[in-house]
Each structure stands twice: as structure tokens, then as C-alpha cells.
Amino acid sequence: MPTEKTDVLIVGGGVIGLATAVALLEAGRSVRVIEATHVGAGASHGNCGTLTPSHAPPLAAPGVVMEALRSLLTPDAPLYVSPKWDPQRWRWLLGFALRANVRDWESSARGKYALLNDSRHRIEDWVGKYAMDCQFVSSGEDYVFRSEAAMQHELKEIPLLQSLGVVPEIMDGRSYEAIEPALRPGVVGAIRFNGDAMLRPDQWLTCLAAQVRRLGGEILEQTPLQSLTRSGAHWLGHSTQRQFLAKDVVIATGAWSPLLAKTLGAPWLRRVIQPGKGYSITYDPPALVPKRPLVLRDRSVCVTAWDGGFRLGSTMEFSGYDTRLNEKRLNALVRGAREFLHVPEGPRIQEKWFGWRPMSVDDMPLLGPVPGQSQLWLATGHGMMGVSMSAGTGQLMADLMTGTTPAIDPAPYSPARFV
């Protein structure tokens, strides 16, 4: 089997692996990306494409444990935990539950915000610098409520967001309905986040892949990593028909990262990340679409519209690597949209989708060297924020690997926090 030499081998052709490749190539490193299937096959493709510093508060919030327990009897609930016995999942859920307290919630929010905010502006810079046609818009995003109780619950997060630098605009229902004709009457209020943005995620992936190739990088699809061993001062990675000799290896395999724990010599990774299944349904645009991305907060449904597409998405399902597309959960998205929107569905369905997000136990990514493994790096665990954190993650990884001072403090994301 021939050995192909490269400076950096990136394992994973999703949004994180590709963004890291762009930043490393810009820093002067040679890069080869290997992808088990095809570019964007994971959670990168089907999300709602919002870029949201406003989403800094983590999933592990006070009260979420009781919500998860109630969901055991409601398979189409926005947050659903399968009651099926799985020791790894329930061990992860215990660690998650222990972090559902105010101190850890605020700590994770600060770490998430720093990366989300950096990435939000870095993506805009890259779009301009590299002339990326991915329908990027500085759109803002709105949380919309039909329940006063739901809005009051959400307003409790505003002081934390303000302390981070997010300045939301609070509107009453009548005023908001006057500026957003796509909504049915009955809105009690809205929270507007004017600093957020959006893009079309599949086009963002296409643009990142094209930029990797323009900068001289190589992307090899249908090339799964089968083993990884030391070869002197380098790493030797094996796939089916090829092997790669690299000085550095970056693992950017998203929700599949725990399955590589043994290969990486990092058994602790299996207890740190669980796959969180998300769903979306994409239509041809209906006659009336919202002016900017919405989160229909009572039903946890995200609504985004682009040229040629209209998407309903979200939900969080912990059921392991279940490969079934659950129509009940897709139907829950549509029901939620029907409560809020005059025209909740487009004339034709383009795609029904699910994907696994890499949910870390503290809802923050793992970015940095694998403890005890020289020149082996992790860039995973982004949860629901992979697209939002993509460019910031890529630049942070490149800075760490080249010895450049990062724009943000890398300490909160160090994989060593779990060892």
C-alpha cells in the first residue's frame, strides 16, 4: 500500500474539518482531508444555518433534567431521551445532569459565547475575502412566543446574555405582529437578536471545500480512517486502499468521535460525547415567509428561508446511533409551525433529514491536543453549534497548531478538562 505524505491529516469532511483546513492552509501548512462518505454527510448539512452568539446558554440548564424525564413518555417532545437501556448514554446523561446548575451553566455560556461571537464575525470576513456564495446575510434572529409563561422563562436568561455583550430587543406581541406579517395572530411577545446572522449550510460547505482546494489542499471522500499508529515522530493513518504519513492529525469527526476513542488512545472520550439527533424538513419556499430567521420558542422550532429553500428544524433526541428517520418528530416540527405561521409549509418537500450532533457533557467543544498523544488534536463536540462555530474553531485550531497567539482564550475548550 503506497504511503502519502502530508503535513496535516484532517479526519472528517464536515464543516469543522473543512474550516480547520482553510485556516491551516492560510497559515502555510499542507493539508489532506479524508472523509468516510462525502463532504457534509453529517450534522453540517441539514441544520437551520443560523449564526447565533445569542445561543450561548447551554442545553444543560437548571430544570432541563425534569424536562428530559417527562419526555420519556413523549416521543415527539422537542427534547427526547429514549428509555432504552444503554450504559454509555445513561452515564453521559448523569454527567450532563450534574452540570445542570447555575454555576456550570454560566461557565459554559461564557465559553460558548466567546467562540460563537468570534466565529460569527470571522465567517462574515471569510465570505467577503474568499467571495463565498453561500447566501450569508446579517439578518438577526427572533425568538417568538405565544405563551406568556414561555416568554417569562426565556427572559430570565437576558441578564446573563447582557453580561456577555448580547443586547436583545424586547417587543410586545402586537408590535411584533405589525412588522412580521408571516405570523398568525396570538403572539404575546418576541426577543430580537440583531447581531445574529444566517447562511445556507449546504452552500457554506461547498464554499469551504472549494476554498480548501483553491489553497492547495486535498479532500478525499469515501476514505474512512481505519487505524492510527505512531511512526517515529509522525502519525500513520490507514484507510481501505491508502495510508497517510502526517506530522499532525486533527480528529474532526463530530458525533462519530466516541467511536474512535480506542483508536485515539483516549477511552475517556466515550463518556464525554453522545450523538444528539436533530431533524429538519426543507420545502420549496411558500408564498409568505418570515423576514428573518425565527425560533418558535414554545415549540422549539427553528424557521429559516433562503433563495430556493424554506426549512423547519431543531429537536434533540438521545437515542444513540439510531438510523431511522422518525416521521413523528418531523410532524412535530410541522405542527409547531402551523401554530405560528400563516403559511407553514412550502408547495413541495425538497428533503426530510436527520443528523447526529456531537453533544459534549458540558455543551462546549473539545479543541486542542489529545492529552498524552503528541501532535494529535481534537476538534469536535460542537453540539448544535457546528456551523455557528466553524470559522472560529478553524482559526483557533490553526493558531494552536502553529504556535500563534489565538484571538480568544483556548483554555475553556481544552480536551484536558475531561482527563
Side-chain angles (χ1 to χ4, degrees), residues 219-239:
I219 301 171
L220 300 173
E221 297 179 298
Q222 305 301 323
T223 308
L225 179 71
Q226 294 183 323
S227 67
L228 189 65
T229 57
R230 292 296 299 185
S231 179
H234 292 72
W235 287 99
L236 190 62
H238 296 265
S239 187

Side-chain angles (χ1 to χ4, degrees), residues 85-397:
W85 176 245
D86 180 336
Q88 288 292 145
R89 179 164 68 247
W90 288 99
R91 190 177 297 117
W92 182 93
L93 287 166
L94 176 60
F96 176 85
L98 292 173
R99 293 195 60 87
N101 60 77
V102 172
R103 184 194 64 186
D104 290 332
W105 178 72
E106 291 182 350
S107 176
S108 289
R110 286 190 291 270
K112 288 182 68 177
Y113 176 76
L115 187 57
L116 284 166
N117 189 55
D118 177 86
S119 193
R120 153 68 179 94
H121 296 289
R122 199 174 298 279
I123 288 172
E124 185 170 8
D125 290 344
W126 283 15
V127 167
K129 179 180 179 181
Y130 302 130
M132 292 175 158
D133 182 11
C134 59
Q135 300 194 47
F136 173 88
V137 183
S138 295
S139 58
E141 182 183 47
D142 299 342
Y143 284 6
V144 188
F145 304 86
R146 294 178 70 86
S147 159
E148 183 66 36
M151 184 164 182
Q152 291 304 316
H153 178 77
E154 197 71 35
L155 288 172
K156 294 177 182 178
E157 294 188 355
I158 298 301
L160 173 62
L161 290 170
Q162 290 174 329
S163 73
L164 296 173
V166 178
V167 183
E169 177 186 356
I170 314 300
M171 296 185 69
D172 65 82
R174 181 171 297 180
S175 298
Y176 189 77
E177 288 176 356
I179 65 170
E180 182 47 88
L183 286 167
R184 298 177 61 186
V187 172
V188 302
I191 304 174
R192 311 199 83 192
F193 298 101
N194 294 313
D196 289 355
M198 63 172 286
L199 48 72
R200 181 154 181 159
D202 55 348
Q203 293 180 358
W204 174 234
L205 281 157
T206 298
C207 289
L208 286 172
Q211 187 60 26
V212 169
R213 295 184 175 109
R214 276 196 294 267
L215 292 171
E218 185 177 8
I219 301 171
L220 300 173
E221 297 179 298
Q222 305 301 323
T223 308
L225 179 71
Q226 294 183 323
S227 67
L228 189 65
T229 57
R230 292 296 299 185
S231 179
H234 292 72
W235 287 99
L236 190 62
H238 296 265
S239 187
T240 49
Q241 302 295 327
R242 318 167 81 139
Q243 61 183 10
F244 308 94
L245 190 67
K247 179 183 176 183
D248 291 275
V249 175
V250 179
I251 304 298
T253 47
W256 289 268
S257 301
L259 304 182
L260 292 174
K262 185 176 180 180
T263 299
L264 304 178
W268 51 270
L269 193 58
R270 290 183 64 83
R271 62 176 167 80
V272 170
I273 294 177
Q274 272 285 306
K277 198 174 183 181
Y279 289 81
S280 68
I281 182 168
T282 306
Y283 300 89
D284 289 347
L288 181 62
V289 300
K291 295 179 180 178
R292 56 200 276 176
L294 304 180
V295 178
L296 313 179
R297 205 66 185 94
D298 308 44
R299 297 292 177 254
S300 298
V301 176
C302 181
V303 182
T304 47
W306 312 282
D307 291 343
F310 175 76
R311 180 167 291 170
L312 308 176
S314 194
T315 82
M316 178 63 70
E317 174 185 331
F318 289 104
S319 57
Y321 297 95
D322 181 353
T323 59
R324 293 171 294 178
L325 191 147
N326 188 333
E327 291 284 351
K328 288 183 178 180
R329 299 190 67 73
L330 286 175
N331 292 339
L333 294 175
V334 176
R335 284 199 309 274
R338 287 172 178 170
E339 290 183 37
F340 281 80
L341 301 176
H342 283 296
V343 191
E345 301 163 71
R348 183 182 70 92
I349 294 175
Q350 296 180 5
E351 181 182 33
K352 295 180 177 181
W353 175 91
F354 78 86
W356 295 303
R357 299 104 153 206
M359 301 301 299
S360 71
V361 74
D362 62 358
D363 205 10
M364 284 206 301
L366 285 71
L367 310 176
V370 176
Q373 302 285 7
S374 176
Q375 306 306 117
L376 180 61
W377 307 81
L378 284 175
T380 187
H382 293 78
M384 296 178 282
M385 300 291 149
V387 170
S388 285
M389 293 179 170
S390 54
T393 291
Q395 191 61 57
L396 180 59
M397 293 300 298

Side-chain angles (χ1 to χ4, degrees), residues 54-65:
S54 64
H55 286 21
L59 183 63
V64 76
V65 175

Side-chain angles (χ1 to χ4, degrees), residues 37-59:
T37 55
H38 59 84
V39 165
S44 307
H45 170 80
N47 70 74
C48 285
T50 52
L51 310 175
T52 50
S54 64
H55 286 21
L59 183 63

